[in-house]
Amino acid sequence: MDFNFIIENIPKYYEAMKLTVFIGIIGIVFSILIGIACALILYYKVPVIKQIVKIYIELSRNTPLVIQLFFLYFGLPKIGITFNSHVCAVIGLSFLGGSYMCEAFRSGLESITKGQRESGLSIGLTEFQLVTNVILPQAFTVSFPAVAANIVFLLKETSVIGILALMELMYLTRDLIGLYYKTNESLFMLVVAYLIIILPVSIILTVIERRMRYATVGN
């Protein structure tokens, strides 16, 4: 193991980590927003749009992220729609994550009994107040374990965005291996970098999940 090589390239991995985390966070935020919107559409069975959401979920979950990214970056320019690599990466991650988040939130929404909705309406709550103050908080508590698993999954999926020539962790590792043939050292830094990113997130989400569970049991 060439530790001098590792030390020399730590700054490069630091920059790659920042890009990976940046795209991952934005992608996760949009995934959650898309997931909530789609889950509510399915929950309220909105005509026409409900069918579009179902098609989106099937398309997203049954095609690899790499194909979605290729379509965004290489396919759309053929019809005059062009995005830069960063935007394509965020759109691709959000498109994939939104469908998984939708399924997670839908399971939470389905756990809400009709009686709670009827009780809310009977005391004068508007539909918006009912959703924001009664339905979504409870649904989020139920669906949080699945949402947390999806967050970790999406952070791992950032390893694919290197196909867009973005200098993220996987792209940098392949680049260093190709230039210097330092396979063991490069892979070691890749593993450490992903552990630094994902392990704290996983621990924090686990702690939040336990506290939410205890709070629910306590109530």
Side-chain angles (χ1 to χ4, degrees):
M1 188 74 73
D2 188 346
F3 289 102
N4 288 328
F5 178 81
I6 292 175
I7 294 172
E8 289 174 2
N9 287 281
I10 286 177
K12 294 181 181 178
Y13 272 86
Y14 175 69
E15 292 300 320
M17 283 175 62
K18 288 199 299 183
L19 177 61
T20 299
V21 171
F22 175 73
I23 291 177
I25 289 175
I26 296 178
I28 289 168
V29 170
F30 279 113
S31 295
I32 291 173
L33 295 176
I34 293 170
I36 292 173
C38 291
L40 287 172
I41 289 170
L42 295 176
Y43 179 72
Y44 282 101
K45 299 178 181 179
V46 181
V48 182
I49 302 178
K50 178 184 70 174
Q51 301 302 325
I52 296 174
V53 169
K54 288 182 177 180
I55 293 172
Y56 154 65
I57 291 173
E58 293 301 319
L59 179 64
S60 174
R61 297 189 65 171
N62 290 288
T63 54
L65 178 57
V66 64
I67 293 178
Q68 297 171 13
L69 292 175
F70 264 92
F71 174 77
L72 290 169
Y73 194 68
F74 299 106
L76 289 183
K78 301 294 184 181
I79 58 174
I81 302 174
T82 304
F83 299 112
N84 63 37
S85 299
H86 294 79
V87 174
C88 285
V90 171
I91 293 175
L93 206 61
S94 303
F95 183 81
L96 176 69
S99 61
Y100 284 91
M101 292 296 183
C102 174
E103 292 299 304
F105 285 119
R106 184 166 67 168
S107 66
L109 289 171
E110 290 176 351
S111 69
I112 309 300
T113 61
K114 292 182 179 179
Q116 293 189 57
R117 185 170 182 275
E118 292 170 354
S119 297
L121 293 174
S122 67
I123 63 174
L125 292 179
T126 64
E127 197 67 46
F128 179 78
Q129 291 173 325
L130 184 64
V131 170
T132 55
N133 297 314
V134 179
I135 295 177
L136 280 183
Q138 293 186 72
F140 188 76
T141 300
V142 173
S143 60
F144 186 80
V147 171
N150 288 336
I151 289 173
V152 174
F153 163 72
L154 290 173
L155 285 174
K156 294 177 181 177
E157 284 296 293
T158 56
S159 61
V160 180
I161 64 176
I163 64 167
L164 304 179
L166 288 172
M167 190 59 75
E168 49 78 52
L169 290 169
M170 186 64 73
Y171 186 94
L172 175 61
T173 300
R174 290 198 303 264
D175 196 39
L176 291 177
I177 292 174
L179 288 172
Y180 303 106
Y181 301 100
K182 298 287 186 178
T183 303
N184 293 334
E185 292 83 355
S186 300
L187 291 177
F188 172 76
M189 287 189 284
L190 175 66
V191 171
V192 170
Y194 269 109
L195 283 175
I196 291 173
I197 294 172
I198 296 176
L199 190 58
V201 173
S202 181
I203 293 172
I204 291 170
L205 292 173
T206 300
V207 171
I208 294 174
E209 180 185 342
R210 288 177 180 173
R211 290 188 177 182
M212 291 176 69
R213 190 186 306 130
Y214 293 150
T216 302
V217 173
N219 292 329

